[in-house]
């Protein structure tokens, strides 16, 4: 439109290379697609004038309004993000920009290419975050996104979910150039004013989409991602490192209590897991891992907490009964994490009092043994299972009441399965020439071995007898081959690998001597090993 060219003209006067909107489009296309580094650098340098000052915000908006080129739209969006992030814009400019981007997304977002709509949503959320305390209209973003989801268009619904998802992520992470105090002030206000409503919106969407299984998978995936972002929010400023596998207690506000005590919440996520395939199913399990990690004090009383634990255990039990989805690596890994969280956040005395505990512990034991034997497939997930059992064992001295833990029946079997499966793995590695030898990954190996002493010392006499019965023949055979080299070098490799495993295992057990009354009585067994 002529208006857009007029708006742009004030900028073009500064650069003879820019004489029309079409030239801007050509430069943007070169900047993003040219294979010639010199041509690309020249285009970027010429376009760089737009990012030099907040004065050019109207010109960038003019480009967005007037162009049909996705590269020009991406350039304008990225430049606006840079300008707004540098802090030169006034509160009025931020509010106008928010309304401009919302209008653009509503009218043109459904037909825009994905990278353009993604860039615009990031711009929108950054603008809202920086202007959170400017005006009440900035904080109306949840209602603004809801208007997208009220439309009949699938594309509008999807954009509404994406806006809320990116908003939670944007508020949750520090913005370069802003202090940690500024970040936490905005995050706390957002947590108190908006986050619960966003989580409720994600649950409503999931319920609707789950009932309507003909809906597009991307909608269910986006709604689940939104729920996961809400549950992963840094509620109290602990800044947990998301790159680590360990998940701390989630400090959900008390205002979330009724929603999390509602049985339909956990049932919804288990139902979504059962009824879908990855990545929807694995994301549903991630949400359940977060739910299993909410602080114990959130619940109204012990009875409500017990009901919640019962729903979690019954849900995981149903998965073990049906084996639904456990043939997928992503599902399998998240399911193991979920089992591990149940003991991390709850006491053994609480677990044993759940109605189906006997079947649950039996099936978890069978699942663990199967995982240990399938070491090639489940290696990255065994850590959580061994951690679960080690925490169960260490809770035994504090178990009171008449309800049996049944650990005596299953822990020795799990210990036996771990040791024998690792010994058998050596032959498999040699025969099949497997590159990923478990012994080579010392980090993962050490994580597994950290839990082993608790399991082995549970019935230490029997475990030590097993180890000695396996270790003595290996040492003898290794000594013979050392003096008389074998015709087949694989015989030496086999014994060397098995002996290496034994040294790792024995070293872990002896190093993990427990500082308890039983430690002194076990010194003789330590010495034998």
């Amino acid at each position: 439109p002529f208006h857009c060219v007029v708006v742009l003209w004030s900028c073009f006067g500064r650069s003879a290379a820019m004489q029309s909107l079409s030239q801007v489009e050509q430069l943007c296309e070169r900047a993003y697609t040219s294979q010639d580094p010199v041509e690309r650098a020249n285009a970027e340098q010429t376009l760089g004038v737009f990012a030099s000052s907040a004065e050019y915000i109207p010109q960038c908006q003019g480009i967005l309004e007037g162009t049909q080129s996705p590269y020009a739209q991406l350039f304008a969006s990225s430049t606006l993000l840079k300008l707004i992030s540098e802090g030169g814009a006034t509160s009025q400019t931020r509010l106008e920009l928010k309304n401009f981007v919302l209008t653009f997304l509503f009218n043109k977002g459904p037909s825009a290419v994905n990278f353009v709509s993604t860039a615009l949503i990031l711009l929108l959320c950054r603008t809202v975050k920086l202007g959170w305390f400017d005006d009440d209209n900035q904080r109306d973003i949840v209602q603004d996104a809801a208007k997208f989801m009220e439309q009949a268009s699938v594309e509008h619904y999807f954009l509404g979910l994406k806006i809320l998802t990116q908003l939670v992520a944007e508020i949750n992470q520090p913005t370069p150039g802003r202090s940690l105090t500024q970040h936490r002030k905005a995050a706390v206000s957002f947590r108190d004013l908006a986050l619960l409503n966003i989580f409720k919106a994600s649950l409503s969407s999931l319920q609707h989409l789950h009932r309507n299984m003909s809906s597009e998978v991307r909608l269910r995936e986006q709604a689940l991602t939104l729920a996961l972002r809400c549950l992963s929010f840094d509620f109290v400023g602990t800044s947990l490192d998301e790159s680590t596998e360990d998940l701390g207690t989630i400090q959900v506000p008390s205002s979330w209590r009724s929603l999390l005590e509602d049985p339909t919440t956990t049932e919804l996520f288990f139902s979504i897991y059962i009824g879908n395939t990855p990545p929807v199913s694995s994301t549903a399990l991630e949400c359940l891992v977060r739910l299993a990690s909410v602080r114990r004090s959130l619940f109204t009383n012990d009875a409500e907490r017990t009901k919640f634990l019962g729903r979690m255990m019954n849900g995981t039990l149903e998965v073990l009964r049906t084996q639904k989805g456990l043939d997928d690596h992503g599902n399998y890994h998240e399911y193991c994490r979920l089992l591990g969280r149940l003991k991390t956040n709850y006491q053994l005395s609480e677990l044993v009092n759940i109605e189906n505990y006997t079947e649950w512990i039996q099936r978890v034991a069978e699942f663990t043994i199967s995982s240990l034997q399938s070491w090639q497939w489940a290696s990255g997930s065994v850590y959580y299972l061994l951690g679960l059992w080690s925490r169960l064992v260490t809770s035994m001295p504090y178990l009171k009441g008449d309800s049996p833990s049944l650990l005596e029946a299953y822990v020795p079997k799990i210990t036996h399965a771990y040791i024998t499966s690792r010994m058998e793995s050596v032959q498999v590695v040699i025969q099949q020439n497997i590159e990923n030898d478990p012994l080579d990954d010392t980090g993962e190996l050490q994580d597994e071995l950290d839990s082993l002493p608790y399991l082995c010392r549970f019935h230490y006499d029997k475990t030590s007898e097993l180890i000695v019965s396996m270790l003595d023949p290996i040492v003898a055979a290794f000594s013979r081959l050392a003096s008389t080299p074998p015709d087949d070098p694989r015989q030496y490799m086999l014994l060397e690998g098995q002996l290496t495993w034994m040294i790792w295992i024995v070293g872990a057990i002896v190093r993990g001597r427990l500082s308890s009354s039983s430690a002194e009585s076990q010194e003789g067994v330590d010495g034998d090993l």
Side-chain angles (χ1 to χ4, degrees):
F2 177 74
H3 165 72
C4 301
V5 177
V6 172
V7 172
L8 290 166
W9 190 256
S10 63
C11 181
F12 292 161
R14 298 171 181 268
S15 174
M18 296 182 177
Q19 297 179 5
S20 69
L21 181 60
S22 63
Q23 282 187 300
V24 176
E25 294 172 340
Q26 292 170 14
L27 286 167
C28 291
E29 187 165 353
R30 288 176 201 158
Y32 285 112
T33 65
S34 176
Q35 300 300 311
D36 183 347
V38 176
E39 183 180 44
R40 190 168 62 248
N42 288 336
E44 291 173 353
Q45 182 178 5
T46 306
L47 291 167
V49 65
F50 287 102
S52 62
S53 169
E55 296 177 0
Y56 295 110
I57 289 178
Q59 282 76 16
C60 292
Q61 291 177 247
I63 294 174
L64 276 170
E65 282 185 331
T67 186
Q68 298 298 317
S69 165
Y71 298 111
Q73 291 172 339
L74 177 61
F75 163 73
S77 303
S78 302
T79 304
L80 284 168
L81 179 66
K82 182 176 185 295
L83 292 172
I84 208 74
S85 299
E86 289 176 348
T90 64
S91 58
Q92 183 61 32
T93 300
R94 285 193 289 264
L95 181 58
E96 291 173 355
L97 182 58
K98 175 218 174 188
N99 293 330
F100 170 82
V101 177
L102 274 172
T103 302
F104 187 93
L105 283 169
F106 194 88
N107 294 331
K108 299 182 180 181
S111 59
V113 296
N114 183 60
F115 61 78
V116 171
S117 62
T118 299
L120 284 167
I121 289 172
L122 176 57
L123 169 62
L124 172 64
C125 296
R126 179 70 56 82
T127 303
V128 169
K129 178 180 181 178
L130 296 177
W132 188 255
F133 295 107
D134 289 347
D135 191 288
D136 289 343
N137 290 326
Q138 289 282 20
R139 298 190 287 274
D140 289 341
I141 184 65
V142 179
Q143 294 91 316
D144 296 328
K147 293 176 183 176
F148 283 76
M149 299 167 67
E150 292 167 359
Q151 305 302 308
S153 162
V154 170
E155 294 300 331
H156 278 100
Y157 197 94
F158 185 63
L159 284 173
L161 289 172
K162 282 188 69 174
I163 289 171
L164 292 177
T165 303
Q166 180 58 44
L167 179 65
V168 177
E170 179 66 34
I171 298 289
N172 197 36
Q173 61 188 9
T175 301
R178 286 170 62 100
S179 68
L180 184 59
T181 301
Q182 289 175 311
H183 163 66
R184 284 308 305 166
K185 184 179 178 182
V188 169
S189 176
F190 175 80
R191 176 199 68 191
D192 295 340
L193 297 177
L195 189 58
L196 178 56
N197 288 333
I198 294 176
F199 185 53
K200 287 179 178 178
S202 72
L203 294 180
S204 298
S205 295
L206 286 170
Q207 289 166 347
H208 168 70
L209 295 170
H210 186 57
R211 287 194 299 267
N212 181 18
M213 290 303 290
S214 62
S215 60
E216 294 186 27
V217 173
R218 63 174 180 148
L219 295 178
R220 296 197 292 275
E221 186 177 352
Q222 190 66 49
L224 270 172
T225 302
L226 174 57
L228 181 59
R229 286 277 172 84
C230 293
L231 291 168
S232 304
F233 195 80
D234 188 1
F235 294 99
V236 292
T238 51
S239 300
L240 293 174
D241 184 359
E242 293 184 359
S243 65
T244 63
E245 290 288 352
D246 290 326
L247 183 67
T249 301
I250 296 179
Q251 303 294 332
V252 176
S254 299
S255 56
W256 293 46
R257 178 179 293 123
S258 61
L259 196 60
L260 297 189
E261 288 182 349
D262 186 344
T264 60
T265 301
T266 50
E267 291 168 1
L268 174 63
F269 288 107
F270 275 115
S271 182
I272 291 172
Y273 168 74
I274 294 295
N276 291 272
T277 56
V280 172
S281 56
S282 55
T283 308
L285 283 176
E286 283 191 76
C287 291
L288 286 165
V289 171
R290 296 312 197 275
L291 288 173
S293 305
V294 298
R295 60 186 175 92
R296 293 167 54 86
S297 57
L298 173 72
F299 299 96
T300 305
N301 48 44
D302 291 345
E304 287 295 336
R305 185 166 63 244
T306 300
K307 291 177 184 177
F308 182 84
L309 175 60
R311 290 192 290 272
M312 281 291 183
M313 289 179 64
N314 287 330
T316 54
L317 177 57
E318 186 60 28
V319 173
L320 289 177
R321 286 170 179 164
T322 62
Q323 295 292 301
K324 175 69 176 178
L326 294 179
D327 55 349
D328 174 81
H329 276 281
N331 288 344
Y332 195 95
H333 183 74
E334 291 302 329
Y335 183 77
C336 290
R337 292 186 70 200
L338 177 56
L339 289 178
R341 287 307 303 178
L342 292 181
K343 177 57 191 77
T344 303
N345 219 28
Y346 293 91
Q347 304 299 326
L348 177 59
S349 57
E350 294 174 301
L351 296 174
V352 298
N353 286 319
I354 299 299
E355 183 178 355
N356 292 323
Y357 172 78
T358 300
E359 183 184 359
W360 182 83
I361 197 70
Q362 175 192 344
R363 290 188 181 272
V364 171
E366 293 169 353
F367 176 72
T368 303
I369 292 171
S370 174
S371 298
L372 293 172
Q373 294 170 343
S374 306
W375 55 269
Q376 287 178 260
W377 197 81
S379 58
S381 308
V382 164
Y383 161 75
Y384 299 104
L385 298 175
L386 292 177
L388 165 66
W389 287 99
S390 69
R391 286 188 287 270
L392 289 171
V393 167
T394 54
S395 298
M396 278 292 289
Y398 310 103
L399 181 62
K400 299 177 181 178
D402 299 327
S403 301
S405 69
L406 305 178
L407 297 185
E408 294 84 354
Y410 300 120
V411 171
K413 294 179 181 179
I414 291 168
T415 306
H416 183 275
Y418 181 84
I419 296 172
T420 55
S421 64
R422 270 49 194 167
M423 299 295 285
E424 292 167 358
S425 71
V426 178
Q427 189 160 6
V428 176
V429 169
I430 295 172
Q431 289 179 344
Q432 299 182 12
N433 195 27
I434 296 175
E435 293 184 4
N436 297 325
D437 187 343
L439 284 171
D440 294 336
D441 190 344
T442 53
E444 188 173 287
L445 176 59
Q446 191 61 62
D447 286 339
E448 294 179 7
L449 293 176
D450 285 343
S451 299
L452 198 61
Y454 303 98
L455 304 183
C456 292
R457 290 176 181 273
F458 188 61
H459 284 295
Y460 202 15
D461 291 341
K462 293 181 179 179
T463 302
S464 65
E465 290 175 5
L466 170 66
I467 293 175
V468 169
S469 69
M470 300 175 73
L471 182 55
D472 284 348
I474 295 172
V475 172
F478 189 81
S479 300
R480 289 194 298 271
L481 288 182
S483 57
T484 308
D487 297 331
D488 186 353
R490 289 183 300 179
Q491 296 180 30
Y492 183 85
M493 292 169 61
L494 174 64
L495 291 172
E496 183 181 52
Q498 291 178 334
L499 187 57
T500 302
W501 266 113
M502 278 297 171
I503 291 173
W504 272 108
I505 291 171
V506 170
I509 296 172
V510 174
R511 186 181 68 248
R513 294 181 63 213
L514 307 180
S515 56
S516 65
S517 58
S518 61
E520 186 174 339
S521 63
Q522 294 175 349
E523 286 186 352
V525 182
D526 288 340
D528 290 340
L529 291 180

